[in-house]
Amino acid sequence: LLLLSFVTVQAQDLEETLQSLSEIAAKSYVKPVIDGFGSNLNGGWYHKAPSAKIFGLDFEFGLVAMGTFIPDEDNSFSTSGIFRFNREQAEELASGVNPLLLDAVVDEIISQDFTVGISGPTVIGSEDQNVTIDFAGGTFAGETIGQQTIELDGVSGVLDEVDVIPFAAPQFSIGTVWGTQATFRYLPSIEIDDEIGELKYFGFGIQHNPTLWL
């Protein structure tokens, strides 16, 4: 419920943020949540061994919950990638050039991609800090622009330094045949957002108790 509440409430903010970043930076930005979610899918399967019986009828059904702790260093990221400035950002970069050449400089900047340094809070980072772009500078329309760092307005943390990524799913186990049981998880399709899509989950595992043979 915590996970779905976060995704539903923040989907639009997250989508707008990812659209403002390059592909490489976007992956670095969401990596803590993706890693935590992946760990959760593989966690919480085992809590007791199957009965050491040749044949028995054991059922278990319940809701399993798990959470992945997020280290503090995942609150921020630093990478490099391809980035294209919009007109407002280009005007900020060109604020010191000859006013008569401003439009020409801006037009040249927004017409090309640049390799830049990108750093700042990840999706679980601080909401009070914005992602920054480190621009190496260059010459445009005969005007030289030096190295600069600009902030991406509104591109900040979304979860504001959370410590745990939660997840839960119904789980059903059935056994026992030669000390072995099967375990299944299933989460029906849930519509999160028109742009984000649906969340659904299915998994299974087989557990064996070797003490049957001892």
Side-chain angles (χ1 to χ4, degrees):
L1 291 177
L2 289 174
L3 175 67
L4 294 178
S5 296
F6 150 66
V7 176
T8 302
V9 172
Q10 303 293 349
Q12 184 174 359
D13 292 340
L14 181 58
E15 180 188 359
E16 292 174 354
T17 296
L18 294 177
Q19 289 175 347
S20 302
L21 298 173
S22 68
E23 180 181 355
I24 293 176
K27 289 180 179 179
S28 298
Y29 178 79
V30 300
K31 187 176 185 295
V33 168
I34 299 301
D35 288 350
F37 188 68
S39 295
N40 286 340
L41 295 182
N42 291 302
W45 285 91
Y46 174 79
H47 61 278
K48 68 177 182 179
S51 299
K53 302 176 181 177
I54 293 178
F55 180 78
L57 197 55
D58 297 322
F59 292 97
E60 185 178 70
F61 178 78
L63 184 70
V64 292
M66 62 288 288
T68 298
F69 288 95
I70 305 298
D72 291 340
E73 55 263 31
D74 283 352
N75 290 336
S76 61
F77 77 98
S78 180
T79 187
S80 61
I82 302 300
F83 188 84
R84 178 167 293 203
F85 296 98
N86 61 31
R87 179 164 291 275
E88 181 180 353
Q89 294 161 347
E91 289 175 350
E92 181 179 346
L93 292 173
S95 59
V97 305
N98 186 336
L100 297 177
L101 298 174
L102 178 61
D103 288 341
V105 172
V106 169
D107 288 341
E108 188 169 336
I109 291 175
I110 64 177
S111 68
Q112 56 186 295
D113 295 329
F114 297 91
T115 299
V116 299
I118 307 174
S119 60
T122 62
V123 64
I124 64 167
S126 173
E127 295 178 347
D128 298 327
Q129 298 178 3
N130 288 329
V131 171
T132 59
I133 303 295
D134 294 325
F135 177 61
T139 301
F140 309 93
E143 292 288 303
T144 299
I145 297 177
Q147 181 179 358
Q148 297 184 48
T149 299
I150 66 171
E151 291 190 3
L152 299 181
D153 291 336
V155 184
S156 61
V158 175
L159 292 182
D160 200 14
E161 300 182 358
V162 300
D163 297 322
V164 180
I165 302 297
F167 187 67
Q171 180 168 296
F172 170 71
S173 297
I174 184 172
T176 304
V177 179
W178 294 95
T180 302
Q181 71 178 14
T183 301
F184 302 89
R185 285 181 183 173
Y186 176 69
L187 195 64
S189 179
I190 300 173
E191 180 74 32
I192 296 174
D193 179 84
D194 290 339
E195 298 294 334
I196 300 298
E198 297 180 345
L199 171 67
K200 59 182 179 180
Y201 172 48
F202 172 76
F204 70 92
I206 298 175
Q207 299 169 332
H208 178 69
N209 186 347
T211 62
L212 173 74
W213 310 100
L214 301 179

